[in-house]
Amino acid sequence: EVQLVESGGGLVQPGRSLRLSCAASGFTFHGYAMHWVRQTPGKGLEWVSSINWNNGNIDYADSVKGRFTISRDDAKNSLYLQMDSLRPEDTALYYCAKDIGGIATVGNYFDYWGQGTLVTVSS
Amino acid sequence: DIQMTQSPSSLSASVGDRVTITCRASQSITSFLNWYQQKPGKAPILLIYAASNLQSGVPSRFSGRGSGTDFTLTISSLQPEDFATYYCQQSYSSPLYTFGQGTKLEIK
């Protein structure tokens, strides 16, 4: 059974940093691209970042580019999101999601999602 | 960026009803359109991929159609467990994915 379990969320002040983790199990982690998607009541679902199976391709939404860093440790079956210079508008529930393929390419989609970890940016 | 617009934003229906939700893209996305279901407090679940392909394990009362800019998700006979929020997602401009704003399906 595929499982994705996010952790690391919490309350943080604007300008500070937070690192999210996603522990994967039930599939061959190193063979798949992975994504972070966030959800807010106001803006709905927003794709944040993607990383391909071999770390060869990494992409970010414009809203987080230069502040967030996605990475993966295939030996630990884990995905990470380092979030720096956090802003109140980064407040959201952050999901990790599995791609159907090794590369986040045209036509692909997310076949499994975790339950999410809540990030609140507030003073 | 490709914008995705769903209609209606909310919908009230009864068990047994046939329901259709529409998703429109701001430009042609060919058939690269996916549908997800989300229940309160739960993660989204993939229902339909590539406009009309049913994900494994999803009941056959769900179906998807469309191409280009206009797409629909139809539930042929609503069941109690189908009351949820539904999102469309385009993967034409992968990895710059965008989602619709969601359609909340409520019990009448």
Side-chain angles (χ1 to χ4, degrees):
Chain A
E1 179 193 4
V2 172
Q3 284 199 329
L4 299 169
V5 180
E6 301 92 338
S7 61
L11 174 63
V12 62
Q13 293 179 327
R16 304 297 291 266
S17 299
L18 209 56
R19 188 194 195 208
L20 306 184
S21 300
C22 172
S25 60
F27 65 103
T28 308
F29 181 73
H30 67 81
Y32 292 91
M34 297 293 295
H35 308 268
W36 287 100
V37 178
R38 65 187 181 184
Q39 185 171 34
T40 62
K43 292 188 70 177
L45 290 165
E46 180 188 15
W47 168 80
V48 172
S49 182
S50 298
I51 184 167
N52 285 344
W53 69 278
N54 61 354
N55 290 302
N57 242 38
I58 287 175
D59 292 281
Y60 300 97
D62 286 345
S63 57
V64 307
K65 200 171 292 183
R67 300 187 299 121
F68 288 13
T69 304
I70 190 172
S71 62
R72 62 191 297 161
D73 184 338
D74 291 343
K76 294 184 178 179
N77 287 344
S78 292
L79 176 72
Y80 304 101
L81 187 67
Q82 176 68 39
M83 304 187 295
D84 298 323
S85 303
L86 281 162
R87 304 168 179 169
E89 56 265 36
D90 296 320
T91 295
L93 185 63
Y94 284 75
Y95 293 102
C96 69
K98 172 186 169 293
D99 199 286
I100 61 156
I103 298 173
T105 189
V106 174
N108 280 18
Y109 46 89
F110 311 153
D111 56 354
Y112 292 95
W113 301 57
Q115 292 300 308
T117 187
L118 183 62
V119 172
T120 303
V121 184
S122 174
S123 54
Chain B
D1 290 5
I2 299 175
Q3 308 301 318
M4 306 301 295
T5 303
Q6 288 181 233
S7 60
S9 296
S10 63
L11 175 61
S12 294
S14 302
V15 172
D17 284 353
R18 179 183 180 89
V19 167
T20 296
I21 297 168
T22 297
C23 179
R24 176 165 290 176
S26 60
Q27 67 181 73
S28 176
I29 56 172
T30 64
S31 61
F32 297 130
L33 190 283
N34 312 304
W35 290 98
Y36 299 87
Q37 177 196 66
Q38 186 178 33
K39 296 180 180 178
K42 301 293 187 181
I45 294 172
L46 176 68
L47 297 176
I48 302 280
Y49 62 92
S52 60
N53 296 275
L54 200 65
Q55 173 68 351
S56 176
V58 174
S60 60
R61 62 181 180 272
F62 291 93
S63 64
R65 296 188 63 180
S67 65
T69 60
D70 294 320
F71 301 86
T72 58
L73 172 70
T74 297
I75 309 172
S76 60
S77 178
L78 271 175
Q79 298 301 300
E81 60 268 29
D82 299 337
F83 292 95
T85 300
Y86 293 85
Y87 294 94
C88 62
Q89 175 211 26
Q90 66 81 17
S91 54
Y92 179 83
S93 63
S94 169
L96 302 181
Y97 308 96
T98 48
F99 295 84
Q101 81 280 13
T103 295
K104 187 174 184 179
L105 180 53
E106 299 175 303
I107 300 173
K108 184 182 287 185

